[in-house]
Every structure is written in structure tokens, then in C-alpha cells.
Amino acid sequence: MPRSERSPLLLAGLLATAGVAHFASPRPFDATIPDALPGTPRTWTYASGAVELALAAGLVLPRTRKTAALAAAAFFVGVFPANVKMAVDWRQRPTPHKAAAIGRLPLQLPLVLWARSIARSGESQA
């Protein structure tokens, strides 16, 4: 299978893994939910996990791949505030933890671009 054909499946795997993690171990995700959001952090954690699982399913199916990829790009932008909150909250943690939290921030851009490239690939095959 060529790399371009594996790309949506790899992103789907990443999203599915993250989605399952939101349900299997929600507490760390709860801590990243910005206080300004209404409702409980756990509700947002579960909702985010469900969205990740739905996006993963959409990326696997060629018929829904383009829409799911565009939605995934928007999702990666939408969860960026949670990553910023984590980096701010972890300022006083040991250096490796702090570095991991800060290091996550620039990783959002490649995720957005990856999802957009999958959507564009879907356009050329339509």
C-alpha cells in the first residue's frame, strides 16, 4: 500500500487511540479542559473522545474521508486551548514534564496540515 493510501489510516489510528484513552483514563484529560467552558470537564473529555472516535471512523471510509479529514483539521485547531492550558498548568512540574507539555504545542500545526492533505487527496480522487 503506497504511503498516501496509508496516511488516512495512520491518522485514524492516532485519533482512535486518543479517543479510547479519553474513556479509559479520563482524569488527565479533565485537567486540560479550560475553566471557561460550561459544564463539567468530564463531559468535555468524553465528548472529545467520542469526536476522535467518530473522526477515526470517517477517515477509514473513503466515502467520508474528505469530510472527516476537514473536520479533523478543525478539531485539532479547536483543542489547541486545552494544550495551552496544560503547558501553563505544568510550568512548575519537573523539566521533562514541562518540556513535553510545551513540546505538544507546535505539534498541532503538523496535525492540521496532515488532515488537510488527506482532504486534498480525497478531492483529487473524487
Side-chain angles (χ1 to χ4, degrees), residues 21-109:
H22 278 69
F23 290 97
S25 183
R27 181 179 265 165
F29 297 100
D30 292 348
T32 69
I33 304 301
D35 296 331
L37 291 176
T40 66
R42 184 60 51 94
T43 299
W44 286 99
T45 294
Y46 286 157
S48 178
V51 168
E52 287 169 324
L53 292 171
L55 291 171
L59 285 165
V60 170
L61 302 170
R63 200 170 97 200
T64 56
R65 185 168 292 151
K66 178 183 173 190
T67 301
L70 291 172
F75 177 79
F76 293 136
V77 170
V79 299
F80 187 72
N83 293 337
V84 170
K85 181 180 185 307
M86 181 180 177
V88 169
D89 290 349
W90 286 25
R91 286 176 298 178
Q92 304 306 317
R93 294 222 178 169
T95 301
H97 293 202
K98 188 174 14 179
I102 292 169
R104 287 182 60 175
L105 298 177
L107 291 177
Q108 291 302 113
L109 181 59

